[in-house]
Amino acid sequence: MPDLQLQNILVKPGTKEILKLEQLTLMESQIYAIVGPSGSGKSTFLKVINLLMKPVQGKMNFFGQELSLPHLSGSGRLLVQREMAFVAQKPVMFQTTVFENVAMGLRYRGIDRLTIRKRVNEALEQVGLLGSAGQAAHTLSGGEAQRVALARALVLKPKLLLLDEPTSNLDPKNVSIFEQVTRNIHQTFQTTILIVTHHLHQARRLASHCLFIHEGKLVEMADTDSFFQTPKTEDLKAFLSGQMVY
Ligand SMILES: Nc1ncnc2c1ncn2[C@@H]1O[C@H](COP(=O)(O)OP(=O)(O)OP(=O)(O)O)[C@@H](O)[C@H]1O
């Protein structure tokens, strides 16, 4: 059964249509990379799925739950949002320890202390930062902070992990570590992952499928090999060969 289906999505915050999707089905346990020129609607796409941005029309089927996106109530929205976790380009660390940063989401959900300890330690181990649990989070390097952000997402055991340009501020070594951790998470938990990236090599390395969004529309979607080796549309060919000016 598909995990996520979007239907007749229209995002139009003013007079301009910034995202228009007729029909999209994403399958469980896959990693999808979303690529496209700057301003094409990639972040908007993630925000719609994460229920942070309300389309004027459209439906989402989220793991069997049918949601009318313009009409979602506050509590209904929160319940679905709790099934997802989001990692942004620049992680914001709370002024406390690494452990507490990762534990915070679980405390809000009223999880008991023993379970929190177990799950936070597991998540920190998964991102290779168990030894830094007691460190003040604001003293971490950029790469470490981004891994804490990943642990913070992971500890919630999300059905869907959304990554919005998570490595754009990292050096190549930390990009590589972040990608490896993402791969490990995927292998361990079979989490469905959507990653917006400007780096085509990253899409190629990580994703099982790629989506090309251009001018607010989903132009092409395919398994990663076909996407890069046999692009069908002229727009994607131009984008992949670096000819698309943006
Ligand atoms: N709330 C909003 N109101 C009006 N326009 C918006 C809003 N949010 C985004 N846009 C516009 O929608 C378009 C798509 O924005 P979005 O951030 O989704 O692009 P993107 O593909 O993620 O870009 P980038 O790669 O540069 O991050 C842009 O032209 C942006 O200015």
Side-chain angles (χ1 to χ4, degrees):
M1 191 175 129
D3 269 347
L4 195 71
Q5 286 180 327
L6 292 167
Q7 239 184 324
N8 293 323
I9 303 288
L10 176 63
V11 183
K12 195 179 171 190
T15 49
K16 193 177 152 211
E17 296 182 351
I18 62 172
L19 187 69
K20 202 172 175 183
L21 293 172
E22 280 168 22
Q23 163 75 32
L24 173 65
T25 299
L26 303 177
M27 304 302 289
E28 67 177 333
S29 308
Q30 303 293 316
I31 302 182
Y32 292 90
I34 297 113
V35 300
S38 182
S40 58
K42 303 181 297 296
S43 294
T44 303
F45 174 72
L46 283 198
K47 284 181 195 155
V48 166
I49 292 175
N50 201 23
L51 310 179
L52 292 173
M53 201 161 183
K54 222 178 218 193
V56 290
Q57 65 175 54
K59 285 195 288 191
M60 175 161 80
N61 190 302
F62 185 81
F63 293 86
Q65 288 181 75
E66 189 75 22
L67 309 169
S68 169
L69 295 177
H71 307 113
L72 262 186
S73 71
S75 56
R77 182 167 158 248
L78 188 63
L79 281 176
V80 182
Q81 275 176 327
R82 285 190 167 184
E83 309 272 12
M84 314 184 213
F86 186 80
V87 174
Q89 194 170 345
K90 235 179 155 221
V92 177
M93 290 293 112
F94 304 113
Q95 294 267 335
T96 177
T97 61
V98 166
F99 183 94
E100 280 307 317
N101 265 270
V102 179
M104 211 161 281
L106 296 175
R107 293 205 199 287
Y108 277 124
R109 291 171 194 210
I111 310 284
D112 68 272
R113 285 175 55 176
L114 270 180
T115 308
I116 290 178
R117 178 164 297 278
K118 183 170 171 284
R119 278 169 64 174
V120 171
N121 285 341
E122 277 169 7
L124 284 175
E125 188 161 25
Q126 190 83 31
V127 303
L129 286 174
L130 190 53
S132 308
Q135 189 174 340
H138 66 275
T139 64
L140 294 171
S141 72
E144 289 164 343
Q146 198 56 304
R147 278 188 280 147
V148 170
L150 206 45
R152 214 153 49 185
L154 176 64
V155 81
L156 303 172
K157 297 191 191 286
K159 283 186 177 150
L160 184 65
L161 180 58
L162 304 167
L163 309 174
D164 195 359
E165 297 182 41
T167 62
S168 55
N169 293 317
L170 305 185
D171 65 281
K173 180 169 175 244
N174 276 296
V175 170
S176 172
I177 294 171
F178 187 92
E179 287 179 6
Q180 192 51 49
V181 170
T182 305
R183 258 184 233 108
N184 291 346
I185 290 171
H186 180 249
Q187 272 163 17
T188 310
F189 304 104
Q190 273 82 51
T191 316
T192 308
I193 299 176
L194 306 191
I195 177 169
V196 167
T197 180
H198 276 289
H199 301 287
L200 294 177
H201 289 300
Q202 181 166 65
R204 220 168 176 157
R205 285 192 296 263
L206 273 182
S208 48
H209 298 80
C210 294
L211 288 76
F212 174 56
I213 295 187
H214 182 38
E215 295 180 342
K217 298 199 175 64
L218 175 63
V219 175
E220 202 160 333
M221 173 173 159
D223 66 86
T224 300
D225 283 346
S226 311
F227 188 87
F228 284 98
Q229 283 164 21
T230 52
K232 292 190 177 55
T233 58
E234 292 308 314
D235 279 343
L236 180 55
K237 285 179 198 166
F239 179 70
L240 293 178
S241 63
Q243 288 166 31
M244 190 170 275
V245 179
Y246 59 91

Short mmCIF file of all heavy atoms in Angstrom, two decimals, residues 11-19 34-47 53 89 164-165 196-198 213 215-216 246, ligand 1:
data_model
loop_
_atom_site.label_atom_id
_atom_site.label_comp_id
_atom_site.label_asym_id
_atom_site.label_seq_id
_atom_site.Cartn_x
_atom_site.Cartn_y
_atom_site.Cartn_z
N VAL A 11 -1.29 25.38 -4.21
CA VAL A 11 -0.83 26.34 -3.19
C VAL A 11 -0.76 27.71 -3.86
O VAL A 11 -0.04 27.89 -4.86
CB VAL A 11 0.56 25.95 -2.62
CG1 VAL A 11 0.96 26.93 -1.53
CG2 VAL A 11 0.55 24.54 -2.07
N LYS A 12 -1.53 28.62 -3.32
CA LYS A 12 -1.63 29.96 -3.92
C LYS A 12 -1.78 30.97 -2.80
O LYS A 12 -2.90 31.39 -2.47
CB LYS A 12 -2.87 29.94 -4.85
CG LYS A 12 -2.95 31.08 -5.81
CD LYS A 12 -4.19 30.92 -6.66
CE LYS A 12 -4.40 32.16 -7.49
NZ LYS A 12 -5.71 32.17 -8.16
N PRO A 13 -0.64 31.34 -2.19
CA PRO A 13 -0.75 32.23 -1.03
C PRO A 13 -1.20 33.64 -1.40
O PRO A 13 -1.76 34.35 -0.57
CB PRO A 13 0.67 32.25 -0.45
CG PRO A 13 1.56 31.67 -1.47
CD PRO A 13 0.74 30.94 -2.47
N GLY A 14 -0.93 34.07 -2.63
CA GLY A 14 -1.38 35.39 -3.08
C GLY A 14 -2.08 35.20 -4.42
O GLY A 14 -2.98 34.39 -4.55
N THR A 15 -1.60 35.92 -5.41
CA THR A 15 -2.21 35.76 -6.74
C THR A 15 -1.48 34.69 -7.54
O THR A 15 -1.98 34.18 -8.54
CB THR A 15 -2.14 37.10 -7.51
OG1 THR A 15 -0.80 37.58 -7.42
CG2 THR A 15 -3.09 38.14 -6.92
N LYS A 16 -0.25 34.35 -7.07
CA LYS A 16 0.58 33.41 -7.85
C LYS A 16 0.42 31.98 -7.36
O LYS A 16 0.43 31.73 -6.14
CB LYS A 16 2.04 33.87 -7.69
CG LYS A 16 3.00 33.24 -8.65
CD LYS A 16 4.40 33.81 -8.47
CE LYS A 16 5.43 32.78 -8.89
NZ LYS A 16 6.67 32.89 -8.15
N GLU A 17 0.27 31.06 -8.31
CA GLU A 17 0.24 29.63 -7.95
C GLU A 17 1.68 29.18 -7.76
O GLU A 17 2.46 29.20 -8.71
CB GLU A 17 -0.41 28.83 -9.08
CG GLU A 17 -1.86 29.21 -9.29
CD GLU A 17 -2.52 28.37 -10.38
OE1 GLU A 17 -1.83 27.63 -11.09
OE2 GLU A 17 -3.76 28.50 -10.51
N ILE A 18 2.04 28.80 -6.53
CA ILE A 18 3.45 28.43 -6.33
C ILE A 18 3.67 26.91 -6.33
O ILE A 18 4.79 26.45 -6.45
CB ILE A 18 4.06 29.09 -5.06
CG1 ILE A 18 3.36 28.66 -3.79
CG2 ILE A 18 4.08 30.60 -5.19
CD1 ILE A 18 4.07 29.15 -2.54
N LEU A 19 2.59 26.16 -6.21
CA LEU A 19 2.72 24.69 -6.33
C LEU A 19 1.40 24.11 -6.81
O LEU A 19 0.33 24.42 -6.25
CB LEU A 19 3.10 24.06 -4.98
CG LEU A 19 3.43 22.57 -5.03
CD1 LEU A 19 4.75 22.31 -5.76
CD2 LEU A 19 3.53 21.99 -3.62
N ILE A 34 14.21 15.38 -3.90
CA ILE A 34 13.46 16.40 -4.64
C ILE A 34 14.46 17.44 -5.11
O ILE A 34 15.15 18.05 -4.30
CB ILE A 34 12.38 17.05 -3.75
CG1 ILE A 34 11.37 15.99 -3.32
CG2 ILE A 34 11.65 18.16 -4.48
CD1 ILE A 34 11.39 15.68 -1.88
N VAL A 35 14.57 17.56 -6.42
CA VAL A 35 15.52 18.52 -6.97
C VAL A 35 14.79 19.48 -7.90
O VAL A 35 13.67 19.21 -8.35
CB VAL A 35 16.68 17.82 -7.74
CG1 VAL A 35 17.46 16.89 -6.82
CG2 VAL A 35 16.17 17.05 -8.95
N GLY A 36 15.45 20.59 -8.20
CA GLY A 36 14.85 21.58 -9.10
C GLY A 36 15.53 22.91 -8.87
O GLY A 36 16.20 23.11 -7.86
N PRO A 37 15.32 23.85 -9.79
CA PRO A 37 15.97 25.16 -9.64
C PRO A 37 15.50 25.89 -8.40
O PRO A 37 14.46 25.55 -7.83
CB PRO A 37 15.51 25.92 -10.90
CG PRO A 37 14.94 24.91 -11.81
CD PRO A 37 14.51 23.74 -11.01
N SER A 38 16.26 26.88 -8.02
CA SER A 38 15.90 27.71 -6.87
C SER A 38 14.55 28.39 -7.14
O SER A 38 14.29 28.87 -8.23
CB SER A 38 17.00 28.76 -6.68
OG SER A 38 16.70 29.53 -5.57
N GLY A 39 13.70 28.37 -6.13
CA GLY A 39 12.40 29.03 -6.26
C GLY A 39 11.37 28.20 -7.01
O GLY A 39 10.28 28.69 -7.35
N SER A 40 11.66 26.93 -7.26
CA SER A 40 10.73 26.13 -8.07
C SER A 40 9.58 25.54 -7.24
O SER A 40 8.59 25.08 -7.80
CB SER A 40 11.49 24.99 -8.77
OG SER A 40 12.14 24.18 -7.81
N GLY A 41 9.73 25.53 -5.90
CA GLY A 41 8.63 25.02 -5.08
C GLY A 41 8.98 23.80 -4.24
O GLY A 41 8.09 23.16 -3.67
N LYS A 42 10.26 23.50 -4.11
CA LYS A 42 10.68 22.29 -3.39
C LYS A 42 10.34 22.36 -1.89
O LYS A 42 9.77 21.44 -1.32
CB LYS A 42 12.19 22.04 -3.57
CG LYS A 42 12.62 21.93 -5.03
CD LYS A 42 14.11 21.67 -5.17
CE LYS A 42 14.98 22.78 -4.64
NZ LYS A 42 14.85 24.06 -5.35
N SER A 43 10.71 23.50 -1.27
CA SER A 43 10.42 23.64 0.16
C SER A 43 8.92 23.72 0.39
O SER A 43 8.41 23.17 1.38
CB SER A 43 11.07 24.91 0.72
OG SER A 43 12.45 24.78 0.67
N THR A 44 8.23 24.37 -0.52
CA THR A 44 6.77 24.45 -0.41
C THR A 44 6.17 23.04 -0.41
O THR A 44 5.27 22.73 0.38
CB THR A 44 6.19 25.29 -1.58
OG1 THR A 44 6.80 26.57 -1.55
CG2 THR A 44 4.68 25.42 -1.48
N PHE A 45 6.69 22.21 -1.27
CA PHE A 45 6.24 20.82 -1.36
C PHE A 45 6.39 20.11 -0.01
O PHE A 45 5.46 19.47 0.49
CB PHE A 45 7.07 20.13 -2.46
CG PHE A 45 6.85 18.67 -2.61
CD1 PHE A 45 5.68 18.18 -3.17
CD2 PHE A 45 7.82 17.75 -2.23
CE1 PHE A 45 5.48 16.81 -3.31
CE2 PHE A 45 7.63 16.39 -2.37
CZ PHE A 45 6.46 15.92 -2.91
N LEU A 46 7.57 20.28 0.62
CA LEU A 46 7.77 19.65 1.94
C LEU A 46 6.82 20.25 2.98
O LEU A 46 6.29 19.53 3.83
CB LEU A 46 9.20 19.83 2.42
CG LEU A 46 10.30 18.96 1.84
CD1 LEU A 46 11.53 18.99 2.75
CD2 LEU A 46 9.87 17.52 1.62
N LYS A 47 6.63 21.57 2.92
CA LYS A 47 5.77 22.23 3.91
C LYS A 47 4.32 21.79 3.78
O LYS A 47 3.60 21.70 4.77
CB LYS A 47 5.87 23.75 3.76
CG LYS A 47 7.15 24.32 4.33
CD LYS A 47 7.16 25.83 4.17
CE LYS A 47 8.56 26.38 4.37
NZ LYS A 47 8.76 27.66 3.69
N MET A 53 2.04 24.40 5.61
CA MET A 53 1.50 25.34 4.63
C MET A 53 0.20 24.76 4.09
O MET A 53 0.15 23.60 3.70
CB MET A 53 2.51 25.52 3.50
CG MET A 53 2.32 26.78 2.74
SD MET A 53 3.87 27.13 1.87
CE MET A 53 3.42 28.67 1.14
N GLN A 89 17.63 23.19 7.09
CA GLN A 89 18.98 23.51 6.61
C GLN A 89 19.91 23.87 7.78
O GLN A 89 21.05 23.44 7.83
CB GLN A 89 18.82 24.71 5.70
CG GLN A 89 19.99 25.00 4.86
CD GLN A 89 19.62 26.06 3.82
OE1 GLN A 89 18.45 26.34 3.58
NE2 GLN A 89 20.61 26.63 3.22
N ASP A 164 15.17 19.10 4.60
CA ASP A 164 15.17 20.24 3.67
C ASP A 164 16.58 20.82 3.55
O ASP A 164 17.02 21.57 4.43
CB ASP A 164 14.19 21.32 4.15
CG ASP A 164 13.89 22.33 3.05
OD1 ASP A 164 14.47 22.21 1.95
OD2 ASP A 164 13.09 23.25 3.28
N GLU A 165 17.26 20.45 2.51
CA GLU A 165 18.66 20.86 2.28
C GLU A 165 19.50 20.70 3.55
O GLU A 165 20.14 21.65 4.02
CB GLU A 165 18.72 22.31 1.80
CG GLU A 165 18.03 22.52 0.46
CD GLU A 165 18.14 23.95 -0.04
OE1 GLU A 165 19.23 24.53 0.10
OE2 GLU A 165 17.16 24.47 -0.55
N VAL A 196 15.09 17.28 0.16
CA VAL A 196 15.28 18.34 -0.83
C VAL A 196 16.77 18.64 -0.87
O VAL A 196 17.39 18.85 0.16
CB VAL A 196 14.51 19.62 -0.44
CG1 VAL A 196 14.95 20.81 -1.29
CG2 VAL A 196 13.01 19.41 -0.57
N THR A 197 17.33 18.60 -2.05
CA THR A 197 18.76 18.87 -2.16
C THR A 197 19.11 19.61 -3.44
O THR A 197 18.46 19.43 -4.48
CB THR A 197 19.60 17.56 -2.06
OG1 THR A 197 20.98 17.91 -2.17
CG2 THR A 197 19.24 16.54 -3.11
N HIS A 198 20.13 20.47 -3.32
CA HIS A 198 20.66 21.15 -4.51
C HIS A 198 21.80 20.36 -5.12
O HIS A 198 22.32 20.73 -6.17
CB HIS A 198 21.17 22.55 -4.13
CG HIS A 198 20.08 23.56 -4.10
ND1 HIS A 198 19.47 24.02 -5.23
CD2 HIS A 198 19.46 24.18 -3.08
CE1 HIS A 198 18.53 24.89 -4.92
NE2 HIS A 198 18.49 25.00 -3.60
N ILE A 213 11.08 19.17 -9.67
CA ILE A 213 10.03 20.19 -9.59
C ILE A 213 10.54 21.44 -10.28
O ILE A 213 11.66 21.89 -10.04
CB ILE A 213 9.66 20.48 -8.11
CG1 ILE A 213 9.03 19.23 -7.50
CG2 ILE A 213 8.70 21.66 -8.01
CD1 ILE A 213 8.46 19.41 -6.11
N GLU A 215 9.03 25.33 -11.70
CA GLU A 215 7.94 26.31 -11.79
C GLU A 215 6.67 25.82 -11.13
O GLU A 215 5.57 25.92 -11.67
CB GLU A 215 7.70 26.69 -13.26
CG GLU A 215 8.91 27.40 -13.85
CD GLU A 215 8.76 27.81 -15.31
OE1 GLU A 215 7.87 27.25 -16.00
OE2 GLU A 215 9.55 28.65 -15.75
N GLY A 216 6.85 25.24 -9.94
CA GLY A 216 5.69 24.82 -9.14
C GLY A 216 4.99 23.56 -9.61
O GLY A 216 3.90 23.24 -9.15
N TYR A 246 19.25 29.70 -13.46
CA TYR A 246 18.41 30.09 -12.34
C TYR A 246 19.25 30.74 -11.27
O TYR A 246 20.46 30.76 -11.34
CB TYR A 246 17.64 28.90 -11.76
CG TYR A 246 18.47 27.76 -11.27
CD1 TYR A 246 18.89 27.70 -9.94
CD2 TYR A 246 18.86 26.74 -12.13
CE1 TYR A 246 19.66 26.64 -9.49
CE2 TYR A 246 19.62 25.68 -11.68
CZ TYR A 246 20.01 25.63 -10.36
OH TYR A 246 20.76 24.58 -9.92
N1 LIG B 1 4.25 32.21 1.86
C1 LIG B 1 4.54 32.58 0.63
N2 LIG B 1 3.89 33.61 0.03
C2 LIG B 1 4.17 33.95 -1.24
N3 LIG B 1 5.09 33.35 -2.01
C3 LIG B 1 5.78 32.35 -1.47
C4 LIG B 1 5.55 31.90 -0.14
N4 LIG B 1 6.39 30.86 0.13
C5 LIG B 1 7.11 30.68 -0.99
N5 LIG B 1 6.75 31.56 -1.95
C6 LIG B 1 7.32 31.66 -3.32
O1 LIG B 1 7.09 30.40 -3.93
C7 LIG B 1 8.19 30.04 -4.77
C8 LIG B 1 8.73 28.67 -4.35
O2 LIG B 1 9.40 28.79 -3.09
P1 LIG B 1 10.16 27.58 -2.40
O3 LIG B 1 10.80 28.09 -1.18
O4 LIG B 1 9.24 26.45 -2.29
O5 LIG B 1 11.26 27.27 -3.52
P2 LIG B 1 12.49 26.27 -3.46
O6 LIG B 1 12.44 25.44 -4.70
O7 LIG B 1 12.53 25.55 -2.17
O8 LIG B 1 13.72 27.31 -3.55
P3 LIG B 1 15.21 27.21 -3.00
O9 LIG B 1 15.85 26.06 -3.74
O10 LIG B 1 15.82 28.52 -3.41
O11 LIG B 1 15.16 27.01 -1.52
C9 LIG B 1 9.19 31.17 -4.66
O12 LIG B 1 9.01 32.04 -5.75
C10 LIG B 1 8.82 31.86 -3.35
O13 LIG B 1 9.15 33.21 -3.39
#
